[in-house]
Amino acid sequence: MSDRIESRLKEDRRFPPSKSFSDRARVASHAAYESMHRQSLEEPDVFWREHTTELVWREPWTKFSEWSLPTARFFVGARLNITESCLDRHLATPHRTKAALIWEGEPGDTRTLTYFELHRHVVRMAAALTDLGVKAGDRVAIYMGMVPEAVVAMLACARLGAPHSVIFGGFSSDALRDRINDCGAKVLLTQDGSWRRGNIVPLKKMADAALEQAPTIEKVVVLKRIGHDREPVVMKEGRDVWWEDLMERPASPTSVAHARKPDAFDAEHPLFVLYTSGSTGKPKGVQHTTAGYLAGVHLSTKYVFDLRDDDVYWCTADIGWVTGHSYIVYGPLSCGATCMMYEGAPNFPDWSRFWQIIERHGVSILYTAPTAIRAFIRAGDEWPKKHDLSSLRLLGSVGEPINPEAWMWYHRVIGAERCPIVDTWWQTETGAIMLTTLPGAAFTKPGSTGLPFFGVDIAVVKDRGEPCAPNEGGKLVVRRPWPSMARTLWGDDERYRKTYWDVIPDVYFTGDGSRRDEDGYFWVVGRIDDVLNVAGHRIGTAEIESALVSHPAVAEAAAVGRPDDLKGQALCVFVTLKAGKKAGRDLKDALAAHIDREIGKFARPDVIRFTDSLPKTRSGKIMRRLLKEVASGGETKGDTTTLEDFSVLAKLRTDEE
Ligand code: WTA
C-alpha cells in the first residue's frame, strides 16, 4: 500500500471524488445530491415526473403512488411495454447502430449486437414464442448461461407480458424443477450446455431430468451453444424445438405484427419472478412489476454509474441473479448503454481473464463482487499489472459487505487511485440499488455502503422500530414503499407480508443488520436472519438442512455460517446420522454430492461435521448461535442455561472436523 494511502487511512478513511470526475458528473456535489434526495421524498410526483421522461409510456400515469401496506402501486394508470424503453426508443436515435451488447465467450469468441440487432432478435423471438402459445401472463422459465440469447429470451418474454423466471445455470435439476413447478411455467428456454472453466455444464440434460416432474411445461426451446459433437442432446418429439430453427423459420404474420408493435401493459403487470433464499426451506419467488421496477433501475443505473454515452459498462454478475436482471439487462439497456457480457469464470484459463477483457474492449465501468476482488488479491497483483486498465473510470461493488482491505486493493491496483468506488447495497426484493455514494457527489469510506438513493427512506432501528442513535447497531428497514420494490412472493401474499412487513410495524424489514455513522453513512454488517451470504450467493440455512435430511443416512442437520477470508462466509453443517449409518469420508462425499443434486454445486458445504447430537433448547430448538461459535472456533459466549445437554457442546468442541 502506498504511504500516502496508508496515512490517509489512519487519520481519516475518506476518499473525496477527484475534481476531474466531479466536473463531468451528473450529480456533482453533496448539496446537489441532498436536494435531489429531499425532493424525491417530499415531492415524489414532481421528482419522478421529471426523471422518467426518457422512458416510453403509452399511457401516462395519473398518480405517482397508492399504498395500503403491504400492497403498493406506483405510476398508477400508466400503460407501457418495458422493452420499448430498452430497445425501440433507441432505434430513432444514433443509438440504433451502437453496440448494446459486447459479448465474449469463455473460449474467447466474441460477438457484438447493436441496438438494432438486439431489437430484431427480440422481435423474432417474441413472435416465435407467440406461435408456441405464449400469451401475456404465462410464465416462462429461462435456464441458460451467459450468452446474448439469454438477454434476448428475457426481453422477448417481457415484450409479450409473459413474466420470466430465470433460474441460475448453476442450479441442479431438482432446484430447477421446484422453481418451474412453483410458478407453473409453460415454456422453458435453455441451451445444450454452457462453458464453465473449460468444462461443459449440460443444461439440457439437467432440464430433461427436471421436466420428468414438471408437468406444466409444454414446450422447450434449445439453443445450440456447444454443438452436437461435444454435447449431444436428445430432443423430445413434439416438445423440444431448436432456437435456431425458430429464428430461421418465418413466424406467422399475426405473431410478427404483434411482436413488432407489442401490447402495452398496466404499470403493475408482473415482469418477472426470481427465486431467492429465505429462512424456510422453500425458496421465495420474488415478484416484480413493470413501471416501478423500470423507473428504479433506469434512474439508479444512470446516476450511480454516472453513465455516459461513450462508456463500456461491465457488470460481471450472472443473469440468473437479480444483479444481472437489473444491471445487465433492464437498467443499462433502458439508458442506451454499451454492456459487456462475459460467459465464463474470472480465472479461466488464468487470472488475467477480467483484465484482458477490460483492456481489449476498453471497459470504463466495472461492477463486481467482493468475493471476486478477494480472489484476485489472493491470485496476486501480477495479473492485473500485465494489462492496460487505463480505460476504467468507475468501479462498483455489490452483493456482500466489502472489507476495507479489499476496498483499498480495488482502489489502488484496479482503479489506480483514480476511479471512484461505488459500494451498492440492495437486494433481490428491492429491485434496484438502495444505498451507495453517488460517484461525483460524495466522499467514500472503505467498508461503508454510503447514503440512501433517490426515493429511498431507510433507517436503522431497534426491535420495535425506535430509531437507533448514530453508530448504534440495529435492524436495517425501509420506512416507506419505493417504486422498484417487490410486490409480493409468487402465489404467497401471506408469506410476503409476514417476512417483510410484519417483523417491525409499518416498515419493510431487510433482514440485514447495520449502523449509521455520524455522517449519515450506512455500515451494513450482513444478514441477521437465517440466511447466509456465501461468496455473494444467498443461501438459506433451512434449504441446506432440508436438503441434507432428505438423504437416507441423515437424521438431523444444522447449517451455520462462519467468517471466511475469501467467501465472506463459509457454510458449515452439523449432521447426526440414523441408527446404523457410518460416519466417514465416503459419507461426507456422498452428502456433498447430494447437495449438488438437490440445490447446486455453489451450495456445497465447506465443512461437514458428524455429531451424535445437536445442542438444543429444552423446547427442542437447535441452538444455532452455539453452533456458529463452535464452527468459528470461538469461545461459547452468552446464555447456555437452556441447553438441554451440556455434554453435547463439549463433545462438538473436541471432535475433529
Ligand atoms: C447483502 C444482491 C453489504 C445483504 C444485490 C443483502 C450487501 C443481500 C451488499 C441481498 C453491500 C448486498 N454491502 N451487504 N453492498 N449488497 N448485500 O438478494 O445481506 O442476492 O440483504 O441481492 O446481500 O442479496 P441478493
Side-chain angles (χ1 to χ4, degrees):
M1 195 184 296
S2 78
D3 290 349
R4 194 161 57 84
I5 294 179
E6 201 157 28
S7 61
R8 212 173 345 159
L9 246 183
K10 274 191 193 135
E11 81 197 28
D12 182 359
R13 295 176 160 224
R14 287 180 182 196
F15 292 81
S18 68
K19 182 160 177 333
S20 60
F21 194 98
S22 292
D23 280 350
R24 296 186 64 185
R26 288 180 183 275
V27 184
S29 68
H30 190 67
Y33 153 76
E34 275 197 321
S35 105
M36 285 173 79
H37 185 252
R38 195 174 324 111
Q39 190 194 35
S40 73
L41 296 183
E42 288 172 6
E43 297 176 290
D45 293 55
V46 179
F47 178 88
W48 288 98
R49 180 82 59 196
E50 186 186 326
H51 288 94
T52 52
T53 49
E54 278 172 29
L55 303 174
V56 182
W57 303 94
R58 292 258 200 104
E59 299 274 344
W61 40 286
T62 48
K63 201 169 164 200
F64 168 63
S65 65
E66 218 170 58
W67 68 69
S68 149
L69 290 173
T71 308
R73 297 155 57 79
F74 288 86
F75 304 104
V76 181
R79 294 188 73 79
L80 71 162
N81 187 295
I82 191 170
T83 65
E84 290 186 321
S85 287
C86 297
L87 300 170
D88 305 58
R89 83 178 183 96
H90 305 306
L91 301 188
T93 74
H95 284 167
R96 180 184 171 85
T97 49
K98 182 183 176 182
L101 293 178
I102 302 177
W103 175 80
E104 182 146 340
E106 188 184 82
D109 38 349
T110 61
R111 262 169 78 194
T112 299
L113 288 183
T114 63
Y115 274 94
F116 171 79
E117 289 167 321
L118 184 60
H119 173 265
R120 199 185 49 191
H121 285 297
V122 169
V123 167
R124 277 208 198 160
M125 193 62 203
L129 288 177
T130 308
D131 282 353
L132 290 181
V134 175
K135 292 184 298 300
D138 290 342
R139 277 79 61 208
V140 176
I142 299 175
Y143 183 55
M144 297 179 79
M146 289 290 287
V147 289
E149 286 81 1
V151 178
V152 172
M154 289 165 75
L155 292 169
C157 293
R159 200 155 178 96
L160 298 177
H164 53 71
S165 185
V166 182
I167 294 115
F168 171 56
F171 275 117
S172 66
S173 332
D174 287 6
L176 173 64
R177 175 201 60 204
D178 293 348
R179 284 156 180 77
I180 289 174
N181 288 339
D182 190 78
C183 70
K186 185 168 176 183
V187 169
L188 170 68
L189 307 180
T190 187
Q191 55 193 72
D192 52 359
S194 69
W195 289 111
R196 187 77 188 166
R197 290 202 178 84
N199 298 318
I200 295 164
V201 184
L203 292 173
K204 174 65 163 70
K205 285 200 184 89
M206 306 224 277
D208 285 339
L211 295 184
E212 281 172 21
Q213 294 169 308
T216 56
I217 294 285
E218 294 169 13
K219 295 281 177 195
V220 180
V221 181
V222 189
L223 175 81
K224 263 183 217 143
R225 166 65 186 132
I226 307 289
H228 186 77
D229 296 351
R230 308 186 67 163
E231 182 56 21
V233 303
V234 179
M235 297 293 275
K236 187 170 170 186
E237 186 73 37
R239 185 193 72 183
D240 300 354
V241 268
W242 289 108
W243 181 293
E244 292 74 8
D245 290 349
L246 278 186
M247 293 298 256
E248 273 159 29
R249 178 168 88 198
S252 75
T254 46
S255 302
V256 173
H258 180 236
R260 283 202 185 128
K261 188 71 192 160
D263 291 341
F265 301 100
D266 184 83
E268 290 298 330
H269 187 77
L271 176 65
F272 65 83
V273 179
L274 182 59
Y275 286 87
T276 189
S277 297
S279 48
T280 71
K282 192 170 172 291
K284 304 184 281 199
V286 174
Q287 187 189 315
H288 282 282
T289 59
T290 305
Y293 175 79
L294 172 64
V297 296
H298 175 73
L299 205 71
S300 51
T301 306
K302 186 164 156 183
Y303 286 105
V304 176
F305 301 110
D306 191 52
L307 205 62
R308 290 199 314 240
D309 243 351
D310 56 356
D311 277 316
V312 177
Y313 160 91
W314 185 17
C315 165
T316 69
D318 191 286
I319 50 141
W321 307 115
V322 75
T323 309
H325 284 56
S326 300
Y327 297 109
I328 295 179
V329 184
Y330 293 105
L333 297 179
S334 73
C335 291
T338 293
C339 303
M340 184 72 223
M341 185 177 185
Y342 170 54
E343 180 180 37
N347 58 349
F348 189 83
D350 62 39
W351 284 100
S352 64
R353 200 69 176 99
F354 269 29
W355 322 122
Q356 197 186 60
I357 289 176
I358 291 171
E359 177 172 12
R360 184 177 302 151
H361 300 282
V363 172
S364 56
I365 301 172
L366 175 67
Y367 188 33
T368 194
T371 291
I373 298 169
R374 289 191 294 263
F376 288 129
I377 297 176
R378 198 173 273 193
D381 293 8
E382 64 269 26
W383 298 106
K385 290 224 162 106
K386 274 192 234 161
H387 295 275
D388 176 3
L389 305 181
S390 61
S391 57
L392 287 172
R393 67 179 197 95
L394 179 67
L395 304 174
S397 173
V398 60
E400 47 182 319
I402 180 165
N403 45 314
E405 297 69 29
W407 196 102
M408 290 307 305
W409 183 88
Y410 201 27
H411 172 69
R412 184 173 54 84
V413 180
I414 306 306
E417 301 181 25
R418 175 188 73 242
C419 306
I421 296 179
V422 288
D423 178 7
T424 60
W425 178 91
W426 58 294
Q427 308 179 295
T428 305
E429 296 85 343
T430 70
I433 292 167
M434 302 292 274
L435 288 172
T436 192
T437 43
L438 294 186
F443 55 80
T444 44
K445 303 186 183 195
S448 164
T449 54
L451 302 163
F453 186 64
F454 305 136
V456 175
D457 181 6
I458 190 163
V460 180
V461 301
K462 297 184 202 174
D463 286 352
R464 292 221 186 79
E466 316 91 318
C468 287
N471 286 316
E472 188 185 357
K475 293 182 166 153
L476 186 66
V477 301
V478 188
R479 287 190 292 210
R480 67 162 98 167
W482 64 102
S484 65
M485 71 180 210
R487 299 299 193 263
T488 190
L489 296 177
W490 184 261
D492 202 345
D493 295 343
E494 184 59 15
R495 187 172 177 198
Y496 173 72
R497 188 173 57 72
K498 275 203 189 130
T499 312
Y500 304 108
W501 297 95
D502 276 2
V503 182
I504 302 170
D506 300 329
V507 297
Y508 167 88
F509 175 49
T510 62
D512 277 11
S514 181
R515 70 183 167 88
R516 188 173 198 182
D517 71 16
E518 55 290 344
D519 295 318
Y521 277 54
F522 285 81
W523 298 77
V524 175
V525 290
R527 308 289 309 191
I528 48 177
D529 54 8
D530 292 330
V531 175
L532 305 179
N533 193 329
V534 179
H537 295 310
R538 246 170 96 163
I539 299 178
T541 51
E543 252 171 281
I544 299 285
E545 290 163 6
S546 63
L548 284 168
V549 296
S550 73
H551 187 278
V554 175
E556 277 186 311
V560 296
R562 75 157 187 222
D564 183 88
D565 284 350
L566 198 60
K567 299 171 155 192
Q569 276 190 305
L571 174 60
C572 305
V573 298
F574 294 84
V575 174
T576 64
L577 298 178
K578 289 189 182 148
K581 302 291 176 188
K582 205 169 151 318
R585 183 81 255 159
D586 288 351
L587 187 55
K588 271 191 191 177
D589 293 345
L591 293 181
H594 184 68
I595 295 280
D596 292 356
R597 226 170 15 248
E598 292 277 315
I599 304 175
K601 280 204 172 64
F602 68 93
R604 220 181 226 222
D606 297 278
V607 178
I608 298 177
R609 289 177 71 172
F610 296 110
T611 168
D612 293 339
S613 53
L614 291 167
K616 288 194 186 146
T617 61
R618 285 198 192 100
S619 60
K621 270 179 83 173
I622 294 172
M623 297 186 81
R624 282 166 204 292
R625 180 176 53 77
L626 297 182
L627 289 175
K628 234 188 254 177
E629 284 161 11
V630 172
S632 317
E635 280 302 302
T636 314
K637 293 187 280 285
D639 187 14
T640 52
T641 47
T642 50
L643 185 63
E644 176 66 1
D645 178 3
F646 280 97
S647 62
V648 170
L649 195 61
K651 178 119 191 1
L652 274 174
R653 289 190 168 294
T654 50
D655 273 354
E656 290 273 308
E657 275 198 356

